[in-house]
Amino acid sequence: MKERELESLRAQVDTCQRCKLREGCQRVVFGEGNPEASLMLIGEGPGAEEDKLGRPFVGRAGQLLDKILEACGFERFTHTYIGNIVKCRPPQNRIPTDEERLTCRPYLHRQIGIIEPKIIVLLGATALQGLIDPQAKITKARGNWLMWQGIWVMPTYHPAALLRNPQLKRPTWEDFKKVVAKYRELVDPNHYSANC
Ligand code: URA
Ligand code: URA
């Protein structure tokens, strides 16, 4: 059921012309994962690799994200659904403008509404600002639970930021440990993770 609703939304997003980003990208990156997942991850927008393949988080940052998830006992297609603030790649990977974020946001809200995750992890400043508050600071907000429409939300650093600055790996790991603890509390008390 959720799968069908998502596929119908995907068809709509695939033909979207609401902003200029579609003209400059190759593929629309709608999102992927388990439509029934209790855990949703939200990034900023597609990069070059994602644009080529039409899938989220498949470049270097995506590989790091998969490793982090694995350390938490999560697998992207089993435990998660992964999406982005904007579905089309901004030229030269620039940060999506406020207008582009706002234009694309109804699609994200609809995705969240269909999936009904219990926990959302916001990856980086753009995800935090795009979903919660345009003025929010990731350095201040990360690691602290927020509530959005009844959903537990954990902002943390973007995996690309970890590649640029390895010192951010440690606080990010602390944030993901909180996510695992919340997952055990809300979803599966027996959730297994080798690392935490
Ligand atoms: N960075 C993002 O924010 N999203 C992706 O899908 C890939 C890289
Ligand atoms: N700088 C970024 O660009 N992103 C983050 O998530 C944190 C710092």
Side-chain angles (χ1 to χ4, degrees):
M1 194 62 240
K2 288 184 181 187
E3 175 137 35
R4 277 212 357 234
E5 285 181 70
L6 274 181
E7 286 316 307
S8 133
L9 180 64
R10 182 196 295 272
Q12 209 184 318
V13 178
D14 270 341
T15 59
C16 178
Q17 303 276 355
R18 287 184 196 169
C19 83
K20 287 272 169 60
L21 291 183
R22 185 66 186 93
E23 289 170 23
C25 76
Q26 296 189 46
R27 304 274 300 261
V28 177
V29 179
F30 178 70
E32 71 180 23
N34 182 353
E36 307 285 338
S38 301
L39 174 61
M40 186 165 174
L41 300 151
I42 300 174
E44 175 174 307
E49 295 299 310
E50 291 76 21
D51 186 52
K52 244 183 259 164
L53 297 177
R55 296 178 49 207
F57 282 99
V58 288
R60 282 227 306 149
Q63 287 163 21
L64 177 55
L65 180 61
D66 280 334
K67 278 209 261 177
I68 296 170
L69 291 176
E70 189 186 348
C72 295
F74 297 130
E75 193 278 321
R76 81 159 66 189
F77 293 100
T78 309
H79 303 91
T80 83
Y81 193 94
I82 306 182
N84 280 306
I85 293 290
V86 295
K87 314 301 190 211
C88 296
R89 182 194 185 198
Q92 282 87 46
N93 295 343
R94 66 161 170 74
I95 297 172
T97 65
D98 287 341
E99 197 186 333
E100 289 158 356
R101 298 173 202 200
L102 276 177
T103 306
C104 211
R105 195 159 64 179
Y107 297 135
L108 178 63
H109 283 180
R110 185 81 193 101
Q111 269 175 319
I112 297 171
I114 294 168
I115 295 161
E116 298 180 295
K118 294 203 161 65
I119 303 166
I120 292 177
V121 175
L122 297 174
L123 300 166
T126 302
L128 170 66
Q129 293 162 356
L131 189 71
I132 305 291
D133 170 7
Q135 307 301 326
K137 298 270 180 283
I138 189 69
T139 46
K140 190 152 173 267
R142 63 140 284 269
N144 299 302
W145 287 110
L146 302 167
M147 191 55 87
W148 182 83
Q149 311 232 333
I151 304 167
W152 291 88
V153 175
M154 175 57 71
T156 191
Y157 292 116
H158 193 287
L162 275 51
L163 292 171
R164 290 193 298 270
N165 181 2
Q167 290 191 344
L168 299 180
K169 285 185 179 178
R170 206 190 165 95
T172 302
W173 179 237
E174 296 303 318
D175 301 346
F176 270 95
K177 283 200 278 191
K178 293 181 186 176
V179 172
V180 172
K182 188 63 75 184
Y183 192 90
R184 289 195 179 110
E185 186 187 320
L186 299 179
V187 183
D188 177 8
N190 298 314
H191 176 72
Y192 176 75
S193 145
N195 297 268
C196 60

